[in-house]
């Protein structure tokens, strides 16, 4: 064959092969792998085709891509430690269509455990722990940063068909346009968004914290106090702490000093990223039912820095109303020896009822920038701060413009976040929504605004007892439309059986709110009091007071006419004083000694005028503040109260001269991992000879509803003293022994024990005066004691107490006074 003949053939075959190559179909399969809860990319996940076995790992952004010449129908499999196996059918139709893969946290079915003499996971944990003090930012001399905090609330498992058909919610059906059906496995509705931008600083020695709120965006609710509570002062999760707080419950950190007693550690994989070796560190609880986490982290070789960590609570975690909790943190190196947070996420699903009921998803994300450490400027700043903690807000935090927010935000708003703000603005402009909002407030709080006034609470409108019969009550008060600092309130009540009117009129005047509150209060009350109102306490009646009473127990009623004036003043650093000027006139009505049994030479029987001063120390106590009032959120330190009272005769027919001293110390302390401890220690002394309404009436309980501060098996007015000291102690263990029983572990029952004891005595003068008039008892220097235990968290809200009366001896002959079963309801996580 000649060369001239071969050349055309070769050219033809070459062209034929090129045309075949160009005609072959190139298919691109790509996607992003994310954690279904936190939306964080899952890096280094295994991605492969089930039939061919061909695969690779996702990159640091969770992305993957395959370029194939041809693709027969196959199944793409995604696998990663701690997540459920993910499978999705793929074919040529998936060409150039990115796949969003949402991995759900799951069991350990895809983990291969290899038993060796050398535990690599435990070795790595010990190395991390050797650097714990170094990498814990709270061991720095000081640090500061700017934080952008976002809290998004979404709704899941809502029934859109019912929403559109319902008469009440149908006008607001446009909100369904914001439903996100692509980001997660189940559709959800972005509902609300809160944003805060603040400067935060910390100093180790002496320990001080400071937060300056610079901007806050809370749609339709401009409450500075609420903005401070949603800042970063108490919202940070420190993985290097021994315990991580989740919804006010302490969970054992994997980096607890004794973490190896609670966790198993493994290192299933290593990766080389940018020339650096990373260990994949995985931790799981050793035993079910303990307050621990599942999760994983990526740890650098040699320096043992944690780059990223993900933690989540398992299904057996003893926490209420929470379907799942995920925590994600990412760290960046500041220098060779210091790492710091760059991003922080905390996601939680709240579900009160069953699995298919409405679920609230809370998504808190925080970003950090302008990080400074060991700064002389921070040292100078803290030198001017007199308290351990200070949270302040700039005057215009709610007046920032949209353009200002764009400049201040650390990142741009997502599509969902923009939709939330637009929808809330539209809803708040609708009169129908405003009416719905007022109705929900009335049902939830009991109050309803009518112009510059408010009525309610509705649950006080009707009640009943054996003396008054059916009782009706109507309250009327003012709101901020009348005056922002003065609150007027009064009520009128009438009993159908005793056919008598009762009532109250009062005024609160807030002279100063910040930084130290000054408040005046004046009131006049003429009503039934079911106990003896001590100075500073208020008795209430409502429809929920209709509870089960102990058998063979005679209710005791006393009428009180109470006129008082109070001055409350905060002085800083947790100190406050409160002056009381009170004139009270008691009139026993049933089952108590009549006033005629206590004749007096001057004045009126059972009438007193009292001046009292209460000194209170509650360091770093936090409050939730509304228009006029505030509710204590507690403090991590004990609260101390000292009250001094003086009875003065001759004022408006007052008849008694006496002096009272009372000291109270109380605290609620976390003693993790052993649960919580609540204690109340008190003592008092009364100088003078006076009738029983002015002595110490040790608090008894006539109901089968448990009262934390009362003696369960003691009747009211059973024991009186003029000298006393007592202790109330409650230790809530948590799961305790219940975690060893599968059924009770699944039910999430909790265990506790209680001790209540008091020692009291009565002087000879007071004994002679009061025992001659009534059947009162005194302890005569002996202790009264009750011991209790029980089951908490039954159906998430019910608590049952079993209480035994053990002192003084001999015990009462009737069994109901020696042992009792009491119930109570409480909402807790």
């Amino acid at each position: 064959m000649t060369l001239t003949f071969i050349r055309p053939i070769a050219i033809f075959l070459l062209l034929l092969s090129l045309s075949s190559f160009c005609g072959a179909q190139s298919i691109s399969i790509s996607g992003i792998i994310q954690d279904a809860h936190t939306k964080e990319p899952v890096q280094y996940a295994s991605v492969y085709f089930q039939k061919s076995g061909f695969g690779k790992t996702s990159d640091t952004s969770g992305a993957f891509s395959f370029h194939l010449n041809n693709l027969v129908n196959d199944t793409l499999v995604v696998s990663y430690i701690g997540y459920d196996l993910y499978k999705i059918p793929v074919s040529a139709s998936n060409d150039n269509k990115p796949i969003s893969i949402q991995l759900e946290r799951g069991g350990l079915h895809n983990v291969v455990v290899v038993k060796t003499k050398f535990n690599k996971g435990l070795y790595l944990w010990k190395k991390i722990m050797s650097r714990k003090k170094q990498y814990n930012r709270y061991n720095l001399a000081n640090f500061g940063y700017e934080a952008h905090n976002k809290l998004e609330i979404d709704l899941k498992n809502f029934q859109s068909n019912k929403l559109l058909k319902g008469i009440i919610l149908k006008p607001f059906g446009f909100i369904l346009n914001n439903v996100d059906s692509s980001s997660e496995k189940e559709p959800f509705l972005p509902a609300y968004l809160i944003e805060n931008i603040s400067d935060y600083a910390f100093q180790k020695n002496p320990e001080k914290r400071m937060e300056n709120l610079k901007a806050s965006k809370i749609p339709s609710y401009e409450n500075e106090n609420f903005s401070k509570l949603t800042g970063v002062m108490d919202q940070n999760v420190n993985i290097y702490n021994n315990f991580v707080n989740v919804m006010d419950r302490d969970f054992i950190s994997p980096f607890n000093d004794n973490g190896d007693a609670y966790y198993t550690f493994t290192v299933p994989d290593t990766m080389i990223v940018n020339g650096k070796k990373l260990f994949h560190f995985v931790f799981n609880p050793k035993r079910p039912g303990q307050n621990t986490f599942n999760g994983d982290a990526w740890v650098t070789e040699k320096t043992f820095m944690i780059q990223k960590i993900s933690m989540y609570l398992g299904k057996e975690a003893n926490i209420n109303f929470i379907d799942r909790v995920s925590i994600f943190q990412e760290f960046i190196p500041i220098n060779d020896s210091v790492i710091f947070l760059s991003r922080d996420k905390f996601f939680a699903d709240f579900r009160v009822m069953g699995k298919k009921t409405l679920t609230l998803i809370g998504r808190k994300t925080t970003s950090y920038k302008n990080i400074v450490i060991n700064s002389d400027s921070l040292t100078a700043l803290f030198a001017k701060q007199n308290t351990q903690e200070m949270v302040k807000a700039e005057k215009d935090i709610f007046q920032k413009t949209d353009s200002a927010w764009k400049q201040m935000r650390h990142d741009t708003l997502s599509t969902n976040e923009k939709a939330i703000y637009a929808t809330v603005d539209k809803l708040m402009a609708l009169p129908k929504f405003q009416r719905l909002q007022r109705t929900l407030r009335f049902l939830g709080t009991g109050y309803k605004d009518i112009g510059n006034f408010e009525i309610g609470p509705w649950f006080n409108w009707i009640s009943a007892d054996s003396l008054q019969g059916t009782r009706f009550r109507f309250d009327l008060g003012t709101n901020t439309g009348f005056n922002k600092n003065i609150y007027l309130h009064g009520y009128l009540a009438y009993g159908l059986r005793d056919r008598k009117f009762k009532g109250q009129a009062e005024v609160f005047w807030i002279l100063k709110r910040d930084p130290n509150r000054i408040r005046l209060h004046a009131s006049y009350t003429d009503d039934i009091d079911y106990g003896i109102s001590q100075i500073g306490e208020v008795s209430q009646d409502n429809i929920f007071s209709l509870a089960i009473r102990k058998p063979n127990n005679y209710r005791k009623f006393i009428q009180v006419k109470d006129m008082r004036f109070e001055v409350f003043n905060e002085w800083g650093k947790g100190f406050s004083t409160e002056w009381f000027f009170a004139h009270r006139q008691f009139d026993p009505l049933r089952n108590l000694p009549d006033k005629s049994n206590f004749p007096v030479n001057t004045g009126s029987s059972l009438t007193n005028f009292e001046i009292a001063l209460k000194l209170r120390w509650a360091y770093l106590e936090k409050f939730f503040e509304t228009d006029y009032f505030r509710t204590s959120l507690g403090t991590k330190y004990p609260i101390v109260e000292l009250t001094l009272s003086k009875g003065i005769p001759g004022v408006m027919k007052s008849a008694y001269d006496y002096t009272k001293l009372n000291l109270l110390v109380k605290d609620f302390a976390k003693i993790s991992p052993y649960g919580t401890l609540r204690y109340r220690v008190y003592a008092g002394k009364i100088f003078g000879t006076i009738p029983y309404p002015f002595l110490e009436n040790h608090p008894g309980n006539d109901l089968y509803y448990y009262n934390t501060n009362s003696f369960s098996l003691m009747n009211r007015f059973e024991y009186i003293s003029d000298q006393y000291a007592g202790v109330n102690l409650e230790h809530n263990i948590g799961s305790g022994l219940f975690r060893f029983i599968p059924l009770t572990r699944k039910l999430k029952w909790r265990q506790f024990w209680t001790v209540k004891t008091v020692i009291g005595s009565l002087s000879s003068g007071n004994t002679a005066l009061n025992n001659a008039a009534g059947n009162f008892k005194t302890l005569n220097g002996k202790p009264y004691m009750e011991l209790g235990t029980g089951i908490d968290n039954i159906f998430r809200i019910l608590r049952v107490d079993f209480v035994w009366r053990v002192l003084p001896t001999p015990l009462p002959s009737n069994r109901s006074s020696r042992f009792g079963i009491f119930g109570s309801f409480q909402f807790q996580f």
Side-chain angles (χ1 to χ4, degrees), residues 80 246 361-362 388 414 520 608 812 817:
Y80 192 78
V246 177
I361 307 174
Q388 186 177 1
S414 66
L520 306 180
N608 79 322
S817 295

Side-chain angles (χ1 to χ4, degrees), residues 5-64:
F5 180 74
I6 293 175
R7 184 177 294 161
I9 295 176
I11 294 173
F12 173 76
L13 292 175
L14 177 61
L15 292 172
L16 182 64
S17 63
L18 287 173
S19 65
S20 298
F21 177 77
C22 295
Q25 185 179 9
S26 178
I27 299 174
S28 176
I29 303 294
S30 63
I32 296 289
I33 305 172
Q34 293 179 315
D35 183 294
H37 203 206
T38 65
K39 303 306 175 189
E40 280 300 312
V42 179
Q43 56 185 4
Y44 317 130
S46 176
V47 188
Y48 62 93
F49 294 94
Q50 192 170 31
K51 290 182 180 179
S52 66
F54 177 67
K56 58 174 62 175
T57 59
S58 60
D59 62 19
T60 55
S61 63
F64 66 90

Side-chain angles (χ1 to χ4, degrees), residues 611-624:
I611 298 177
L613 172 63
K614 181 165 75 173
L615 307 174
R616 189 172 189 269
W617 182 72
Y619 191 54
L620 299 183
E621 185 177 23
K622 291 181 171 57
F623 298 91
F624 177 73

Side-chain angles (χ1 to χ4, degrees), residues 220-279:
S220 74
Y221 187 65
E222 295 184 358
N223 185 310
E224 183 180 305
N225 175 256
F226 185 74
S227 294
K228 292 178 179 179
L229 293 175
T230 55
V232 295
M233 179 67 77
D234 299 304
Q235 302 296 321
N236 280 333
V237 170
N238 183 7
I239 61 170
Y240 288 108
N241 277 347
N242 284 333
F243 300 94
V244 175
N245 189 268
V246 177
M247 302 300 170
D248 205 36
R249 297 188 66 81
D250 279 349
F251 286 76
I252 301 168
S253 169
F255 307 110
N256 184 289
D257 292 340
N258 300 309
D260 55 338
Y262 300 95
Y263 289 92
T264 58
F265 306 109
T266 57
V267 183
D269 196 11
T270 59
M271 296 292 294
I272 304 295
V273 179
N274 297 327
K276 295 182 178 180
K277 188 176 182 179
L278 297 178
F279 296 105

